[in-house]
Amino acid sequence: MPSNSGHPLAAEIVAILTARRQTVAVAESLTGGLIAAAITEVPGASVVFRGGVVAYATETKHTLLDVDDQLLAEAGAVDARVATEMADGVRDRFTATFGLASTGVAGPDPQDGKPVGTVFVAVSGPAGSEVVAPRLAGDRADIRRAAVAQALELLRRTLVRAGSDS
C-alpha cells in the first residue's frame, strides 16, 4: 500500500482541494484502487475525497461510468477517449469538482492490441478535460505505481493551473 511519504503529491492535492473547498473522485482500471489509496492515506482526505470506482472490466466502464459502449467496442478499454469519459463519468457520478481516471495495460500481456506500458490518465474539471499518455516501462507493479504517480501529477498540475487562473 502506498504511504503518504511515497506520494507527497497526494498530500499536496488534499491540501489544495481543502483550501479551495473542492472535491475529487477517481475511476480506476489498471491501477485497481491505488490512486484512491494514495489520496485517502493523507490525513484529512475525507473532506475532499468523494469516492471511487474500480472499473476493471470493460463493460463496467459503460455501466458505472457512462463510457460510450460504441467507443469501447471500437477502440477497446485502453484509449485516450475512454480515459476522458471515465474521468467525466466519475466526476458526474460523485458530483465532484474533479474526476481523475486511469486505464492501460500493466501486463504481462498486451490488451486490445495495445502493448504493455500503454497508459492513459485523464482529469475532468470545471475548465474541461485533459488526458496524458505516458509510455511506461517495467514489470506490472512498476507500471501500476508509475501510472498512479502520473495521475496524481496530472491532477496537481490541473489544480495549480486553476489556481493561477483565479
Side-chain angles (χ1 to χ4, degrees):
M1 179 157 328
S3 70
N4 192 14
S5 61
H7 287 292
L9 291 173
E12 184 178 353
I13 288 164
V14 169
I16 293 168
L17 290 171
T18 301
R20 294 181 187 168
R21 295 188 166 109
Q22 295 177 322
T23 58
V24 65
V26 299
E28 301 185 63
S29 188
L30 90 147
T31 51
L34 294 174
I35 297 169
I39 293 170
T40 59
E41 194 162 287
V42 178
S46 60
V47 174
V48 301
F49 187 73
R50 300 280 299 157
V53 173
V54 177
Y56 214 67
T58 299
E59 65 272 8
T60 307
K61 292 169 181 61
H62 171 68
T63 58
L64 292 182
L65 299 169
D66 299 323
V67 175
D68 184 84
D69 56 348
Q70 181 143 0
L71 171 61
L72 289 165
E74 292 172 3
V78 182
D79 184 84
R81 296 164 296 173
V82 170
T84 300
E85 288 193 16
M86 289 172 65
D88 291 340
V90 80
R91 179 178 178 230
D92 291 344
R93 177 81 55 186
F94 285 91
T95 60
T97 313
F98 295 93
L100 184 62
S102 68
T103 189
V105 185
D109 300 315
Q111 179 186 339
D112 296 333
K114 307 289 188 340
V116 172
T118 303
V119 172
F120 298 97
V121 294
V123 64
S124 173
S129 300
E130 181 180 354
V131 64
V132 296
R135 185 75 173 99
L136 304 177
D139 66 17
R140 182 174 174 78
D142 293 337
I143 291 168
R144 293 176 77 217
R145 275 192 299 272
V148 171
Q150 290 286 328
L152 293 173
E153 176 56 28
L154 175 61
L155 179 56
R156 188 198 67 77
R157 278 196 325 262
T158 300
L159 293 171
V160 168
R161 264 196 316 265
S164 66
D165 292 343
S166 39

